[in-house]
Amino acid sequence: MSLHAKKQEIPIFFAIDDNYAPFFAVALTSLLDNASKNFFYKIYVLTTSLRKEYADRLRLIVDDLAVDNASIDFVSMKDEMEKSTGTFHLRHYYSKETYCRIFIPRVFKQYDKVLYLDSDIVVTGDISELYNTDLGDNLVAAASEEVMTDYDVFGSYVENVLGVWRYDYFSAGVLLINAKLYREENIEMKFIDLLNSFTFRVTQDEDYLNVLCKGRVKPVSLGWNKSSYKSKTNKDFDDKDLRLIHYKINWKPWHYDEILYEDYFWKYAKETFLYDKILKIKAGYGADLRERDTVQFNELVKMAEEDTVDPNNYWATQQRKSGEKLVKRGLYGGKSE
């Protein structure tokens, strides 16, 4: 019997293209550096296009850091994406790869539970602890999304457009998926149907998942998906609880200086074959691109404001269909005033 066969297998999925290969290299290095040797990590990289050169070099990271307790496979999702009946809404930094997570439970039927991780992260804890979370009859386990609680415009958006209380809205960048239940309840088709019925413009695939999984989310510690900025809502967060850092939106150390937890990123970046490329990305991110980020963020705010008051948004439409009046308490799951 092989050493692998004796260990519990933990399936972990990422989705990347060429643009995110450098940051995935950092994420992968950090994950393996902190992973318990008591498990076998079966890593899948989903893509619609990735240079063979990158794939070959990324395999070497696993070979060097995890000789007997990890493997990595690159899986093309191009055909799955092309034959899907969904109209994938894209914007700026969103590529088709962001939707790959929707197909994981059906394509990988051998798993009853899987981990999906964004590539713009650094793992500082043992990822097996997150995987071994008891899902019960929940569809997913995930941490709350700080952006929705720290920025009232986005909190109002999710409450009035999605019908999800801002404190219940989860970040889909770190997701433990109940794949068995996901298949049984045909969440993929429900996702596609909703995608074709309503356009959620703000956080797109994350919005759809929050609508579909509402009320069936196992909360996990914020430490498993901590945003790389100083949160107003979670200002008392203890760094001793830090397990995974998510460098999102305009808080990316490969674009900006003085990003919270940037030392973790650069520590692992220096260990990758793409360190020089990451440095070039940082050096080339000038005032024009920073101004573009500001403009795009302001556009996001404007979209949230517009959709919040749109009488034909998703939640308003659902209320008309059901003949119910919007009541935040019962429908958001929040506490009484």
Side-chain angles (χ1 to χ4, degrees):
M1 181 180 290
S2 68
L3 187 60
H4 168 201
K6 296 178 181 179
K7 295 180 178 181
Q8 178 191 358
E9 182 174 298
I10 296 179
I12 304 173
F13 291 81
F14 292 86
I16 68 170
D17 57 13
D18 285 343
N19 292 328
Y20 264 80
F23 317 119
F24 169 64
V26 178
L28 179 62
T29 301
S30 68
L31 185 154
L32 294 175
D33 186 49
N34 292 286
S36 167
K37 301 300 182 183
N38 296 325
F39 301 91
F40 187 85
Y41 304 89
K42 183 72 173 177
I43 300 166
Y44 295 92
V45 181
L46 311 180
T47 185
T48 59
S49 62
L50 182 68
R51 286 160 49 186
K52 184 177 182 299
E53 172 197 351
Y54 279 157
D56 290 343
R57 295 294 297 274
L58 289 165
R59 284 192 181 94
L60 292 178
I61 293 178
V62 176
D63 291 342
D64 290 343
L65 293 178
V67 177
D68 62 358
N69 75 315
S71 66
I72 186 167
D73 290 319
F74 294 83
V75 182
S76 174
M77 297 293 283
K78 189 171 184 293
D79 290 344
E80 286 293 335
M81 302 293 281
E82 289 179 351
K83 71 184 183 184
S84 172
T85 57
T87 302
F88 300 108
H89 312 305
L90 306 176
R91 183 188 69 245
H92 304 318
Y93 47 84
Y94 280 110
S95 66
K96 280 188 177 181
E97 273 72 16
T98 195
Y99 289 95
C100 284
R101 75 195 81 179
I102 306 307
F103 304 102
I104 293 171
R106 176 176 56 80
V107 177
F108 298 88
K109 291 185 175 69
Q110 66 269 41
Y111 298 119
D112 288 342
K113 182 168 68 169
V114 300
L115 261 178
Y116 170 83
L117 305 176
D118 276 352
S119 55
D120 51 356
I121 64 168
V122 161
V123 182
T124 63
D126 175 9
I127 202 69
S128 68
E129 295 176 5
L130 178 60
Y131 180 79
N132 285 316
T133 299
D134 183 4
L135 278 164
D137 63 353
N138 292 297
L139 288 166
V140 297
S144 63
E145 174 56 81
E146 290 178 286
V147 173
M148 301 312 179
T149 55
D150 283 337
Y151 292 82
D152 185 63
V153 62
F154 297 124
S156 295
Y157 164 82
V158 300
E159 290 180 352
N160 292 287
V161 177
L162 310 180
V164 177
W165 193 41
R166 67 186 69 188
Y167 292 95
D168 286 342
Y169 187 99
F170 64 85
S171 170
V174 178
L175 209 56
L176 182 61
I177 304 172
N178 190 334
K180 182 175 184 292
L181 209 54
Y182 191 106
R183 288 189 294 269
E184 289 175 356
E185 301 194 13
N186 206 11
I187 300 300
E188 178 186 323
M189 187 53 62
K190 291 177 181 176
F191 184 99
I192 297 299
D193 288 345
L194 188 57
L195 189 73
N196 291 332
S197 300
F198 290 92
T199 299
F200 295 147
R201 299 191 296 167
V202 177
T203 45
Q204 301 185 313
D205 61 308
E206 191 168 78
D207 285 346
Y208 292 100
L209 286 170
N210 268 273
V211 167
L212 292 171
C213 298
K214 178 181 172 181
R216 302 181 66 188
V217 181
K218 174 69 176 288
V220 301
S221 165
L222 182 64
W224 279 113
N225 195 345
K226 181 69 184 74
S227 301
S228 53
Y229 71 88
K230 292 183 179 179
S231 168
K232 295 176 289 185
T233 308
N234 301 296
K235 59 184 177 181
D236 296 325
F237 176 79
D238 191 336
D239 285 352
K240 289 188 294 185
D241 296 327
L242 194 64
R243 298 291 182 271
L244 186 151
I245 306 156
H246 199 165
Y247 302 100
K248 62 184 75 169
I249 313 179
N250 294 348
W251 304 289
K252 301 174 180 178
W254 56 90
H255 288 167
Y256 292 90
D257 293 323
E258 299 182 2
I259 297 298
L260 187 63
Y261 307 127
E262 64 182 1
D263 290 348
Y264 289 96
F265 176 83
W266 292 113
K267 170 190 173 183
Y268 288 108
K270 289 176 182 176
E271 298 179 17
T272 73
F273 68 96
L274 287 165
Y275 178 55
D276 288 342
K277 183 174 182 63
I278 294 172
L279 289 178
K280 289 180 180 178
I281 291 172
K282 176 74 178 290
Y285 215 79
D288 57 332
L289 294 175
R290 294 189 178 98
E291 175 60 26
R292 184 195 65 181
D293 286 346
T294 299
V295 170
Q296 291 177 352
F297 188 81
N298 289 337
E299 289 174 352
L300 205 59
V301 168
K302 184 179 179 182
M303 282 191 288
E305 292 172 338
E306 291 173 348
D307 291 356
T308 295
V309 298
D310 182 355
N312 295 313
N313 69 33
Y314 168 78
W315 191 234
T317 302
Q318 294 305 110
Q319 293 304 295
R320 284 196 297 273
K321 285 182 179 179
S322 65
E324 297 175 3
K325 188 176 181 180
L326 178 63
V327 181
K328 292 186 178 181
R329 290 305 146 247
L331 298 173
Y332 292 159
K335 297 179 181 179
S336 300
E337 295 288 0

